[in-house]
Amino acid sequence: MQSSKIKRRKFLLVSIFALVLSLISVWYFRFKSATNKALSYPTDLSEICDRKTMIDIGTAYRKLTGENTKNYLEELLLRDTGMIETNLKMSLRTKVAEDFKTGNTVLIDGWLLSKTEARQCAFLSLSEVN
């Protein structure tokens, strides 16, 4: 009798632990997916360019600058931004506007882009590779 209570208690604890781990992993992958989407999607540029063009811009930018890893680009893009998806999108748009104001731009394949937009395209091009 004592043994079945212990087994039941262990079962409940293991079940609760598994549920908590499942919820954490679902939250993490949902958050990570939203972050990756925001980082690889230059909002204003996407209104005038198709996906292939943005990937080509990103590839050219990576060759030009040597910013060739997703982790490094993510670090640069997330610098001074909010981590919540809507805040992240707004922060990136603000960074794009600030880049144009301060002349932090780059010319790639005839496109005058903010560095933030170019980095987002580079992040997208790396996302497509993997």
Side-chain angles (χ1 to χ4, degrees):
M1 188 146 160
Q2 188 75 344
S3 176
S4 67
K5 277 187 169 182
I6 292 172
K7 286 181 182 179
R8 189 175 311 144
R9 187 174 296 148
K10 282 183 180 179
F11 173 76
L12 286 173
L13 287 174
V14 168
S15 297
I16 291 169
F17 183 71
L19 177 64
V20 168
L21 280 179
S22 297
L23 292 173
I24 289 171
S25 61
V26 165
W27 174 83
Y28 172 77
F29 286 113
R30 184 169 182 217
F31 173 77
K32 192 69 173 167
S33 173
T35 301
N36 282 340
K37 183 178 179 185
L39 292 178
S40 64
Y41 195 76
T43 307
D44 294 335
L45 187 62
S46 67
E47 292 178 10
I48 56 175
C49 291
D50 63 3
R51 187 175 188 82
K52 183 187 177 323
T53 302
M54 289 190 298
I55 290 169
D56 292 345
I57 289 169
T59 302
Y61 177 79
R62 288 188 298 113
K63 288 178 184 173
L64 180 70
T65 63
E67 296 176 8
N68 283 316
T69 67
K70 283 180 79 172
N71 288 339
Y72 184 62
L73 286 163
E74 183 175 7
E75 178 186 319
L76 292 171
L77 288 166
L78 288 176
R79 193 174 290 157
D80 303 323
T81 61
M83 289 303 293
I84 299 172
E85 181 188 1
T86 46
N87 289 344
L88 179 56
K89 286 180 182 180
M90 288 300 284
S91 293
L92 289 168
R93 286 184 95 163
T94 301
K95 283 178 77 168
V96 168
E98 189 63 29
D99 284 350
F100 281 115
K101 279 184 192 174
T102 61
N104 191 20
T105 58
V106 62
L107 186 63
I108 303 207
D109 293 338
W111 293 92
L112 181 62
L113 305 166
S114 78
K115 277 232 175 160
T116 301
E117 287 175 313
R119 287 176 174 149
Q120 285 179 285
C121 290
F123 192 88
L124 174 63
S125 71
L126 286 169
S127 298
E128 292 294 309
V129 169
N130 295 327

